[in-house]
Amino acid sequence: MPKILRAVCDLAVLDLGALWLVNEHPAVLSCADIWHQPSVEAVGFSRVTMQTVFPRGLGLPGRVWANGEPAWILNVMQDANFPRAPFAAQANLHGAFAFPIRIKEKVLGVIEFFSREFRRPDDDLLQVFVTVGSQIAQFIERKQAEAKVHTYAEELELKNRGLDAAKSLPP
């Protein structure tokens, strides 16, 4: 994911990107990864982002999770629903947008990006990222399914070893 965040930041001239994933129990978003341009002093913002969890509706990631739609903030310092504003101010981050990582109606996570500039909403850009979010969701779902298959195969192998060991015991 850091490579994807960096590539998007480089291509779209953005300063910081973060990946948030849904945790089922408890139902919150937590930051799984973050990347920023070397020229951005974002130690405090990065630290608080990695330590923060958001329920549905709270903060930029929580609002995207709640409605399943992308969101754009012209200036995070003036957004009443952006609890990390003091840390964004320290990093000189102003503009932000986020989009869901979803398959059909199920949101698996959110990706958010920030810039030091005040940027006007760009609906075309957001729609491109909605498509990107869908592709990332398919990748995540496939990786989760592969992990489940791998775990099941390991459990089955251990079970079979136990049966083979039991067969070799004297009566």
Side-chain angles (χ1 to χ4, degrees):
M1 255 340 267
K3 290 179 182 178
I4 292 172
L5 295 173
R6 179 182 181 171
V8 171
C9 285
D10 287 345
L11 287 171
V13 192
L14 297 163
D15 295 300
L16 186 142
L19 166 68
W20 296 83
L21 295 176
V22 173
N23 298 319
E24 297 295 331
H25 305 287
V28 294
L29 282 170
S30 61
C31 188
D33 220 329
I34 194 166
W35 184 88
H36 64 83
Q37 297 288 355
S39 61
V40 176
E41 180 54 50
V43 173
F45 184 79
S46 295
R47 183 175 53 249
V48 76
T49 296
M50 292 300 292
Q51 294 171 350
T52 301
V53 294
F54 286 115
R56 284 183 200 271
L58 184 60
L60 179 57
R63 105 179 52 159
V64 171
W65 180 26
N67 65 26
E69 296 296 326
W72 194 287
I73 302 173
L74 183 63
N75 184 357
V76 296
M77 266 46 100
Q78 296 177 352
D79 189 287
N81 187 12
F82 194 83
R84 296 173 290 157
F87 301 97
Q90 290 173 355
N92 198 30
L93 297 172
H94 298 285
F97 70 91
F99 58 92
I101 300 170
R102 75 172 179 226
I103 293 182
K104 297 181 182 173
E105 299 305 315
K106 183 177 182 182
V107 176
L108 303 177
V110 173
I111 297 181
E112 65 179 353
F113 290 100
F114 296 87
S115 79
R116 291 178 277 190
E117 301 172 352
F118 299 93
R119 292 189 174 186
R120 294 273 171 220
D122 183 335
D123 290 334
D124 292 337
L125 181 66
L126 284 179
Q127 288 312 308
V128 167
F129 283 116
V130 166
T131 302
V132 169
S134 175
Q135 292 172 346
I136 292 171
Q138 291 172 17
F139 174 79
I140 289 171
E141 191 174 62
R142 185 176 72 242
K143 288 296 183 184
Q144 289 173 342
E146 288 172 1
K148 285 180 184 177
V149 167
H150 182 71
T151 300
Y152 177 74
E154 286 179 344
E155 290 171 356
L156 189 58
E157 184 178 330
L158 288 172
K159 182 179 177 183
N160 286 337
R161 283 185 191 168
L163 290 174
D164 289 343
K167 287 179 187 176
S168 65
L169 291 175

